[in-house]
Amino acid sequence: MLDSPLDPACTADTFCEGIGNITRRGDNFRVTCVAERERDGEVERLVVAHLVWSRDDLATAIRQMQAALDGRPFMSAIRPAENVTLC
């Protein structure tokens, strides 16, 4: 068991320019990430990812992002996964 997350080479970066929507589904929150592009003189907002987190994991992610924004060290709270599928 590794004590840090795996970073498979086949995972692409997804660049987001904003949040399109946040919805609650049971105990999970679905965050819709968007990017913009200009097409035929119009600005389109495209969904580039949906991130689904439990309430606790979303709260942890918010704290981790705030630490990064404040210039503090990343607060690792990632639990090692028992079953990890790569690509």
Side-chain angles (χ1 to χ4, degrees):
M1 182 69 65
L2 300 175
D3 63 354
S4 63
L6 299 176
D7 187 7
C10 60
T11 302
D13 290 339
T14 301
F15 292 89
C16 304
E17 296 176 322
I19 302 297
N21 197 13
I22 299 176
T23 56
R24 183 174 181 178
R25 295 186 175 196
D27 291 333
N28 296 314
F29 288 84
R30 184 178 192 226
V31 179
T32 301
C33 302
V34 299
E36 295 180 352
R37 74 174 178 192
E38 187 175 331
R39 184 174 181 182
D40 299 328
E42 299 279 331
V43 176
E44 294 180 325
R45 297 180 74 203
L46 306 169
V47 173
V48 294
H50 290 119
L51 305 175
V52 180
W53 279 308
S54 70
R55 172 188 293 273
D56 291 341
D57 290 340
L58 178 59
T60 298
I62 291 168
R63 287 192 302 273
Q64 289 170 325
M65 286 184 246
Q66 189 61 56
L69 287 169
D70 293 343
R72 292 181 283 135
F74 178 75
M75 301 179 305
S76 181
I78 299 171
R79 297 176 299 277
E82 293 181 15
N83 299 310
V84 176
T85 302
L86 301 178
C87 304

